Structures are given as structure tokens and as C-alpha cells.
Amino acid sequence: MRRTVILAVVAALGAGLLAGCAEDSEEPGGGSVSGGGGKGRTTITVGVFGAFGLKEAGLYDEYMKLNKNIEIKQTSIERNENYYPQLLTHLGSGSGLADIQAVEVNNIAEITATQADKLVDLGKSEGVSKDAFLPWKWAQATDKDGKTVGLGTDIGPQGICYRKDLFAKAGLPADREAVGRLWAGDWNKYLAAGKQFKAKAPKGTAFVDSASGVMAAITGSSAKRFYDENGEVVYKTNPAVKEAWDIAAAFATEGLTGKLQQFTPAWDQGYANGTFATVSCPAWMLGYIQDKGGAAGKDKWDVAPAPKPSNWGGSFLIVPEAGKNKTEAAKLAAWLTAPEQQAKLFEKRGSFPSAKAAYSLPAVSGAKHDYFGGAPIGEIFSRAAEGIPVTIVGPKDLVIAQNLADVGMLQVDQKGRSSKEGWEAAVKAIDNALDQ
């Protein structure tokens, strides 16, 4: 399914990544001294997926200028669903690994739980400060013994992007502070605002793009979603998941959605034609909306805080023990994820920092987005990031989320199935997937 293919890559990265292609389809290899890096220079290899942003933002070039003895070479596999199985295979064999490897957030729980003995403890590496990171981000890559195997790059704190013009036509406030107050603290208030919008909605418009998008945003605001603290699958009995399902299904059954599937041509066209008024949007999605909305959407879109702090996306850097240049690789990973570099990555690529120490830097704190009416995105997303709970991420989180959305909620939203029928279809698909 196209959304499944794209989402695994998109959710983790920054603005503009859908246009990004793999720079090199070769499997990453270990670093070397001199080998291609010049006499006496150490080559550090970095393996990533998609247009990860580090190279594109110029961070490798900057590091090499600061460290004349280092050469950095990156390999990229375009899609995470191709990249990640290879990474697991290479970790298992101890060969074919880059000195630094990227890991998507939906895979970090499995990496941390099953591969920690094959990875360097970056929490003890030179230049790394636990206090610089958001506590929940640090916790995601720290195992039960306190070993931190990954350093966070970006995260996906969410806001609600909305069309000011459509809100005004429907009799709703268009000012972002007033809009935020409509649903502050409660996703049910977001549903209530949708009903208000529908009562006077401009012809041919819906309040929200999709029920699945709403569900993902709500589950992203919960500490416990699909797994519990013991690693058990609990989505069937977790009240937070049930609430997210019920609210999202109500958006569908009340006729408040555009019946769209995210990351499809029809969804893109919805932005271009202005057919829906709101969408749950992580920081990295702003560039996507700007691209698909085009010049006609400039100053019509704005950003308000989401009802509750919620996260969608993020990635990590790990350093395999099998690497030839572990010490230098750990130094590079620490530098790439330091607050100053994360601020640059946000400024140039739209990837929001997981290092909370970056939030006070001008590139973040003063960030505004011209396309979204000068919205203070640095301030909005910083507040959201600091309020996100420490979420339990399980090894098959992505499988569960995709089936809830694409098998279950999509049937309710597009095919008119009941909430109960959609749920049962999703559970059946998830059970089958987890049994394999």
C-alpha cells in the first residue's frame, strides 16, 4: 500500500523528504583509515534511509572542516522497510555495517531490546549529555540496564494546521490563539469544533482530512498505546486506544472527514484544492503542506497547538560495536545530535530537535513560517515537545498502527462500515500479522 511504503520513511524525517532519493543503493560497509579518505585520514561511514537530512543540511561538510583527519561517506537506502531488515541482518552477522547507522523510531524498541550487546553505549561517549535531550526521547533508546544505544536526531511534535479562510466562512475564529482554545486539553473538543464547522461549512469542504489521521494524533499523545511496560501487546484492552478509535470513528460517522487516505495523490489534491480545513501536523509536515498547497495556499494556512501534546515520527543514530572506528564514530554521532547541529537541521530541513537544549537557540526559538501566516512554529512545537509523555514503543508498533489505520479505520471512513466492523477487521489483520 502506497501510504505504508511512504509513511515508514516520511514519519521519521524532515520537510521535503518525499522528493528525496537514495544517494546510493549499496549496502553500507565499515569505515577505514586512509581507504579513500586521503593519507592519514579516517573514513567514517554513515548508513541512513531516505533523504535523512544530515548531509543535505551540510553537517558532514562542517564536521570535516573542523576535523581535517576525518572523511565522512554516507550510503542511503530509500525506504526504511528495505533498510531495516538489512540492518538487522548485518547486526546479526557483525559485518556489512556502517560506523554509524540510523534507526527509525518505530524500530528503536526492538533494537534496544534485542541488539544492545552489539552496540556502543553512547550515553558514556565523549560529548554526550543526557540532560540536553528530552527525557522521553532518551528513554526510548535506553535499555533496562541503563545502556543508551541510540542518540535522538529529530522528533515529530504535532500541532493542528488549519485553513483560516475556511474557518472564517464557517463562523469559527481564525486567530490561532482562539483556535487553540477551541479544543485545548481534550480531543473531544476537536470533534465538537468539527460539528460546529460542518453546520456552516463552505460547499465541498470537510473539517478534517481523514479519520485515520485523527486516530494517529490521539494515540501519539498517550504514554501507553499498543504495548505495556512489560512488552505485552495491550492495544485491544487499552482505554487510550479505545478512546482514540471511538473519537476518530465519530469523525467518520458524523461526516466530518474528507474520506482521504494520507500520502496518496487524492490527499495531495485535497491540499491543492482546499477541500479540508484541518490536519494533524508534525513539524516536518509543514514543508509537505506548502509543497502540495502551492502558492494559492500561502497565508490561508496557520498552525495552532493540538488538544494535547502528541508525537509522530523521529529517528536515532547508533554505533555498532563491530565498527572499525567506534571512538571516532561515537564522537561524530555526539556532534551530529548536539543541540547546535539539531537547530541547524531544523532551520534547513524542518526536522524538529529532540535535544531540548536547542529550543532556546535563535534558530528554533525565533522560528516563524511565512507560508503559515508567520506562525511562531519554534514556540508552538517546543511547547508540544516538552509535554509529550514517555511513550512505550513496542517492536511491532508500526504493524499495529498501520492495520488500525489502513485495514480498520479506512473501512469506517471510506466504505461506511460501522465502528465495530472496522475494529474487528483491524484486530483480525493485526493478530494475523503478529502471529507470523
Side-chain angles (χ1 to χ4, degrees):
M1 211 171 286
R2 186 171 182 271
R3 176 180 178 275
T4 303
V5 168
I6 294 175
L7 184 57
V9 178
V10 172
L13 306 180
L17 53 123
L18 283 182
C21 297
E23 123 193 17
D24 189 340
S25 61
E26 296 178 5
E27 295 182 6
S32 62
V33 176
S34 251
K39 186 175 180 180
R41 299 178 75 186
T42 300
T43 299
I44 304 296
T45 55
V46 184
V48 303
F49 50 92
F52 202 77
L54 300 173
K55 180 179 180 180
E56 294 82 352
L59 296 182
Y60 297 158
D61 288 340
E62 183 178 349
Y63 190 81
M64 286 187 286
K65 285 179 182 177
L66 294 171
N67 299 270
K68 302 295 186 183
N69 63 319
I70 297 295
E71 174 101 359
I72 301 171
K73 291 188 176 180
Q74 176 180 285
T75 56
S76 177
I77 294 173
E78 188 169 358
R79 292 181 171 87
N80 185 53
E81 68 267 25
N82 296 325
Y83 167 87
Y84 182 62
Q86 289 189 28
L87 175 59
L88 288 179
T89 298
H90 294 321
L91 284 169
S93 66
S95 63
L97 290 158
D99 294 306
I100 296 174
Q101 298 273 177
V103 178
E104 204 269 339
V105 65
N106 286 299
N107 303 126
I108 196 63
E110 183 174 24
I111 288 289
T112 304
T114 66
Q115 307 294 323
D117 62 326
K118 300 181 181 72
L119 302 173
V120 172
D121 187 348
L122 294 175
K124 296 178 179 177
S125 296
E126 180 182 340
V128 175
S129 171
K130 175 181 178 180
D131 293 338
F133 291 86
L134 292 162
W136 61 266
K137 184 71 171 184
W138 184 271
Q140 285 181 327
T142 302
D143 72 7
K144 62 183 188 308
D145 298 320
K147 182 177 182 179
T148 301
V149 301
L151 297 177
T153 54
D154 62 315
I155 56 173
Q158 297 201 70
I160 301 292
C161 293
Y162 69 98
R163 288 275 302 230
K164 292 179 285 191
D165 57 332
L166 298 183
F167 266 48
K169 289 176 182 177
L172 293 176
D175 172 76
R176 73 178 64 94
E177 290 189 10
V179 169
R181 287 194 293 269
L182 284 175
W183 49 64
D186 190 345
W187 289 100
N188 278 298
K189 291 181 180 178
Y190 185 42
L191 175 63
K195 293 177 181 178
Q196 283 183 265
F197 177 88
K198 183 184 177 184
K200 296 182 180 179
K203 187 177 180 181
T205 65
F207 180 66
V208 71
D209 62 324
S210 69
S212 294
V214 173
M215 180 173 62
I218 300 175
T219 55
S221 64
S222 298
K224 185 164 72 173
R225 301 179 303 176
F226 310 138
Y227 287 78
D228 66 13
E229 53 277 359
N230 298 316
E232 297 295 322
V233 176
V234 296
Y235 78 93
K236 294 180 192 176
T237 57
N238 183 3
V241 175
K242 182 68 163 56
E243 179 188 37
W245 177 274
D246 288 346
I247 294 174
F251 270 86
T253 57
E254 294 283 348
L256 305 181
T257 83
K259 303 182 185 298
L260 299 170
Q261 186 176 19
Q262 293 185 328
F263 303 106
T264 64
W267 191 60
D268 294 348
Q269 201 61 42
Y271 284 117
N273 296 335
T275 58
F276 53 86
T278 72
V279 61
S280 301
C281 56
W284 52 260
M285 195 186 283
L286 301 186
Y288 188 92
I289 294 172
Q290 180 175 351
D291 179 44
K292 302 305 177 184
K298 190 176 190 301
D299 290 328
K300 291 180 180 175
W301 282 97
D302 210 323
V303 189
K308 292 183 179 180
S310 176
N311 187 68
W312 176 7
S315 296
F316 297 81
L317 298 180
I318 62 172
V319 174
E321 285 281 4
K324 297 183 178 71
N325 301 293
K326 292 185 293 183
T327 301
E328 289 296 341
K331 287 180 184 177
L332 174 57
W335 187 87
L336 290 169
T337 57
E340 294 77 14
Q341 280 62 256
Q342 290 205 27
K344 292 171 188 172
L345 192 61
F346 172 61
E347 187 176 30
K348 296 181 180 180
R349 300 290 299 173
S351 300
F352 201 79
S354 63
K356 64 180 180 181
Y359 301 165
S360 60
L361 299 177
V364 180
S365 65
K368 298 178 189 278
H369 204 302
D370 290 342
Y371 190 84
F372 290 81
I377 59 171
E379 179 185 330
I380 290 170
F381 290 117
S382 292
R383 280 204 308 266
E386 291 173 339
I388 294 168
V390 179
T391 303
I392 300 167
V393 180
K396 302 299 180 184
D397 256 46
L398 190 58
V399 171
I400 296 171
Q402 286 174 339
N403 281 288
L404 284 173
D406 293 340
V407 175
M409 192 56 68
L410 199 64
Q411 292 191 16
V412 180
D413 203 10
Q414 292 189 356
K415 299 181 180 178
R417 302 284 173 83
S418 69
S419 174
K420 183 173 183 289
E421 288 172 328
W423 176 261
E424 289 173 350
V427 168
K428 183 177 179 181
I430 293 167
D431 285 349
N432 287 338
L434 297 183
D435 284 342
Q436 292 176 2

